[in-house]
């Protein structure tokens, strides 16, 4: 009887994660199969959505905070682009106030990161 609730929660996680990803700047308009597979894997690994959201914010902030003379970055083509920062935040518990600060700085660019 509890299995449908677990599946629903799993499906909700994947849907929410992909929605957040696709709402980011420089990301595709549709999730690829590989993106869905990675989202399911993150759900299976019980990576908190807050960690993923924080990784999205930090990655976007790092992309925006580049030297002005650096070559422009291309489009982000895969959710896998964020995986190193997701793994970084899984190893090091991020300071929630710092993450909120970064998300606030990004608000004019993208309000859906928080």
């Amino acid at each position: 009887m509890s299995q449908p609730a677990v599946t629903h929660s799993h499906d909700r996680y994947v849907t929410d994660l992909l929605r957040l990803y696709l709402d980011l700047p420089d990301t595709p308009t549709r999730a690829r199969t590989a993106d869905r597979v990675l989202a399911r894997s993150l759900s299976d690994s019980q990576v908190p959505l807050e960690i993923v959201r924080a990784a999205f914010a930090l990655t976007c902030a790092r992309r925006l905070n580049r030297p002005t003379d650096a070559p422009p970055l291309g489009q982000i083509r895969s959710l896998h682009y964020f995986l190193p920062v997701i793994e970084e935040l899984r190893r090091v518990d991020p300071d929630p106030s710092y993450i909120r600060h970064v998300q606030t700085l990004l608000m004019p660019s993208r309000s859906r990161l928080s």
Side-chain angles (χ1 to χ4, degrees):
M1 194 74 161
S2 65
Q3 185 61 25
V6 170
T7 301
H8 176 72
S9 174
H10 177 75
D11 291 344
R12 178 65 187 247
Y13 178 98
V14 170
T15 299
D16 289 349
L17 187 152
L18 292 174
R19 180 184 46 81
L20 289 168
Y21 163 64
L22 296 174
D23 282 346
L24 295 171
D26 298 326
T27 56
T29 57
R30 292 177 19 169
R32 299 174 339 158
T33 301
D35 299 329
R36 293 181 189 288
V37 169
L38 179 55
R40 283 192 295 272
S41 174
L42 292 169
S43 177
D44 291 343
S45 299
Q46 298 180 351
V47 175
L49 200 52
E50 288 305 312
I51 291 288
V52 176
R53 186 177 284 120
F56 288 167
L58 287 175
T59 303
C60 289
R62 290 172 182 173
R63 284 176 62 90
L64 289 171
N65 191 28
R66 298 182 47 193
T68 55
D69 60 344
L73 294 173
Q75 291 284 110
I76 297 170
R77 295 190 177 137
S78 173
L79 179 60
H80 285 81
Y81 181 85
F82 298 93
L83 199 52
V85 180
I86 292 169
E87 292 302 324
E88 173 187 339
L89 294 179
R90 288 181 75 188
R91 286 189 306 275
V92 179
D93 192 24
D95 179 358
S97 63
Y98 176 70
I99 298 301
R100 280 191 304 277
H101 172 71
V102 170
Q103 290 170 330
T104 301
L105 292 175
L106 294 171
M107 287 288 231
S109 303
R110 287 304 223 200
S111 61
R112 307 247 4 221
L113 288 175
S114 59

